[in-house]
Amino acid sequence: MTVLWRAARLRLHEQRTRWLHRAERTWAGAVAAQLVGACVAGRGRAWHTEAVAFTATSVAVVMVASPGSPRRFVVKIPWTAEGVRRLRRQARVLTDLHRDPRLHRLRPLIPRCAGQGEFDGRYYCVEEALPGCRPAGSRCARRGTRRCSSRRSASSATCMPGPAR
């Protein structure tokens, strides 16, 4: 019985977070495709938002794709100064990991920062999505299909089906 109450409480918390941060999610979803288009090759592609989630750490995580392209991107937009600091650090660490020659076999498992900057006064980071599972906000996850623990953090929400690198 305790497990059911915990699950219900988690579900209510997720719904409350979605409702409270709907303006942030709407804004992030609207600008994410533009940010990806400005950061990656294939600027002529019609990028569109697939899913938007707002994490417990106040980061909007937006999945962006283009029809006919196997590539998917994750746009992360933090809403707090602490979130900006942490996301900048994450981008530096990911870059360092990709540069380390000892990790060449692990590179396909490490997200790659495709671009970062500021838009409308907000810091953002665009990462190439990793192959794997869908984010918590996707239709697949809402139907109850659990293929990964994408609800745990913003970084684990970056896994999406994509090309092998």
Side-chain angles (χ1 to χ4, degrees), residues 38-115:
C39 287
V40 300
R43 295 177 199 268
R45 290 193 182 277
W47 297 100
H48 69 276
T49 298
E50 286 189 329
V52 182
F54 200 83
T55 69
T57 57
S58 298
V59 176
V61 179
V62 185
M63 300 304 301
V64 177
S66 179
S69 173
R71 297 177 75 190
R72 298 221 184 326
F73 292 89
V74 178
V75 179
K76 296 179 181 178
I77 306 171
W79 291 86
T80 63
E82 179 68 15
V84 170
R85 188 182 67 72
R86 287 180 178 184
L87 194 55
R88 285 182 194 270
R89 184 174 189 287
Q90 175 186 317
R92 283 192 308 272
V93 168
L94 291 175
T95 300
D96 290 345
L97 290 173
H98 275 278
R99 287 183 183 155
D100 191 331
R102 299 171 296 175
L103 302 176
H104 72 280
R105 289 186 177 161
L106 294 177
R107 284 190 190 125
L109 304 175
I110 303 170
R112 180 179 304 277
C113 185

